[in-house]
Amino acid sequence: MFERLDAIESKYEELTSELTKPEILGNYNQLKKLSKEQKDLEETYLKYKEYKQIISNIKEAQELINDAEMGEMAKLEIEEGNAKKENLIKELEILLIPKDENDDKDIIMEIRGAAGGDEANIFAGDLFRMYSRYADKNGWKIEIIDSEVGAAGGYTRIETKVKGENVYSKLKYESGSHRVQRIPVTEANGRIQTSTATVLIMPEVEDVDIEINPNDLRIDTYCASGHGGQGVNTTPSAVRITHLPTNTVVTCQNERSQIQNKAQAMEVLKARLYQKEQERLDAEVGSERRSRIGTGDRSEKIRTYNYPQNRVTDHRIGYTTNSLDRVMDGALDDIIEALINEDLARKLKGE
């Protein structure tokens, strides 16, 4: 562990030196790259410096332990120093766990009504509102890429881009099947019904992450439509892109121009192809995939929202809270923090 920490310390100080050079300061791309690299190491570097200072303080106190006047104070400092040392070692172990390379990326989020007809679509709309409120509280921005409104409300499908700081690191655990138990507004007899909606979270993919051969694409254009299917413009601004090798289809009609919709659709296509590749790699190491908190599998029932009991339960970690009303208003912090902590605990155990 300490060899790795020494290497991080050396690298951080090397980057500090590099960032003062005129040729780096005059090169925006290189400056941005090295600054990000340094920032990624900063927390571990500072924590290690703190650890080394504690060790130095303990050594100095040990030299005074037999001093008639300073001995008792030295013993107290050694005791306090050892306690701080143990806590810092635990913090450093956590910091050395490999980070998910996608954690600081923006995301593409897709929500679909699944089992339950109109009620499933209404619930998909409720989930979209929940995530929108959570995004607002975090200062994130949500952009709708494409959507299909349900006949009774909500969405049969809605795709959005969520932009902000460390979005993927917080929302990556949300992929899966979300189950709702409540009396639907569409239920005439007042019976509790169970319905589901699925959520898919994909990191936004940069050009360097995945390449697409233009010859593998079929691009169709059509007139965008609004609620109920009525035409909202008379020019073919909406775009449908089909990736022929994988038969992956994406559409976008939210922007005003065909060029903007095509650019948005390409972003979604890249995210989908990247997700497919990640799932393929995960399947090759099945035991590792099963041990993770979020697999991204739509069929995995991850959470139940029980309205009669005002209860939310995350089945992956056995977490329950009786504050469904607050959760649906965007108060997701406690659930997401519990998921992050459990994921961290599993990684520390080597799972």
Side-chain angles (χ1 to χ4, degrees), residues 2-270:
F2 291 103
E3 287 180 2
R4 289 176 63 193
L5 289 167
D6 287 336
I8 288 170
E9 182 181 47
S10 297
K11 184 63 178 177
Y12 184 91
E13 291 173 352
E14 177 189 327
L15 287 166
T16 301
S17 176
E18 286 287 307
L19 287 166
T20 63
K21 294 180 179 178
E23 60 268 29
I24 299 298
L25 294 171
N27 185 330
Y28 174 77
N29 290 332
Q30 188 70 356
L31 180 65
K32 182 179 177 182
K33 177 177 176 291
L34 295 182
S35 295
K36 183 182 183 305
E37 192 175 346
Q38 186 193 50
K39 188 174 186 302
D40 290 342
L41 299 176
E42 187 170 53
E43 186 177 2
T44 307
Y45 171 80
L46 292 176
K47 193 66 66 177
Y48 187 39
K49 295 289 281 187
E50 185 181 349
Y51 172 84
K52 290 172 79 173
Q53 183 60 55
I54 292 293
I55 295 300
S56 176
N57 292 345
I58 291 173
K59 287 181 178 178
E60 290 179 5
Q62 285 172 337
E63 293 175 1
L64 296 171
I65 201 164
N66 294 319
D67 186 278
E69 295 182 1
M70 305 293 291
E72 287 301 316
M73 187 179 294
K75 287 178 184 178
L76 183 60
E77 187 166 341
I78 291 169
E79 186 178 324
E80 291 177 351
N82 282 326
K84 289 180 182 177
K85 182 184 75 171
E86 292 305 313
N87 287 332
L88 284 169
I89 287 174
K90 291 176 183 176
E91 291 179 39
L92 287 166
E93 286 175 343
I94 291 172
L95 288 170
L96 287 176
I97 293 173
K99 290 183 173 61
D100 187 332
E101 62 182 13
N102 294 317
D103 274 352
D104 61 351
K105 290 185 178 180
D106 298 334
I107 65 164
I108 306 293
M109 176 170 64
E110 179 190 272
I111 305 172
R112 287 179 180 266
D118 288 337
E119 167 65 1
N121 297 335
I122 293 170
F123 180 50
D126 293 338
L127 289 177
F128 173 64
R129 177 182 177 276
M130 177 185 78
Y131 290 123
S132 297
R133 292 291 181 90
Y134 182 64
D136 287 343
K137 291 176 180 180
N138 281 278
W140 300 339
K141 182 180 179 183
I142 287 189
E143 299 173 2
I144 296 177
I145 298 171
D146 198 23
S147 64
E148 295 175 8
V149 177
Y155 297 95
T156 59
R157 176 182 60 83
I158 181 167
E159 282 184 324
T160 66
K161 182 188 293 184
V162 186
K163 304 169 71 173
E165 186 175 355
N166 297 321
V167 177
Y168 185 76
S169 70
K170 297 288 183 69
L171 292 182
K172 64 183 177 183
Y173 305 104
E174 296 302 296
S175 286
S177 178
H178 295 239
R179 181 174 68 173
V180 63
Q181 295 173 325
R182 65 185 178 188
I183 300 171
V185 293
T186 56
E187 172 58 56
N189 296 320
R191 293 173 298 186
I192 294 174
Q193 179 177 317
T194 298
S195 304
T196 60
T198 60
V199 176
L200 180 62
I201 304 294
M202 300 172 286
E204 191 174 35
V205 181
E206 300 171 0
D207 289 338
V208 294
D209 292 321
I210 190 166
E211 292 183 6
I212 298 175
N213 186 340
N215 295 325
D216 290 338
L217 302 178
R218 184 178 74 233
I219 301 176
D220 303 306
T221 58
Y222 55 99
C223 293
S225 61
H227 292 191
Q230 72 269 26
V232 293
N233 64 41
T234 56
T235 57
S237 61
V239 172
R240 179 188 301 109
I241 300 178
T242 304
H243 184 251
L244 300 173
T246 61
N247 197 33
T248 303
V249 180
V250 298
T251 60
C252 183
Q253 62 172 337
N254 196 57
E255 303 294 342
R256 291 183 175 273
S257 77
Q258 185 182 122
I259 292 174
Q260 290 173 314
N261 280 325
K262 182 181 177 182
Q264 285 272 37
M266 283 299 296
E267 287 186 20
V268 177
L269 178 61
K270 287 177 182 178

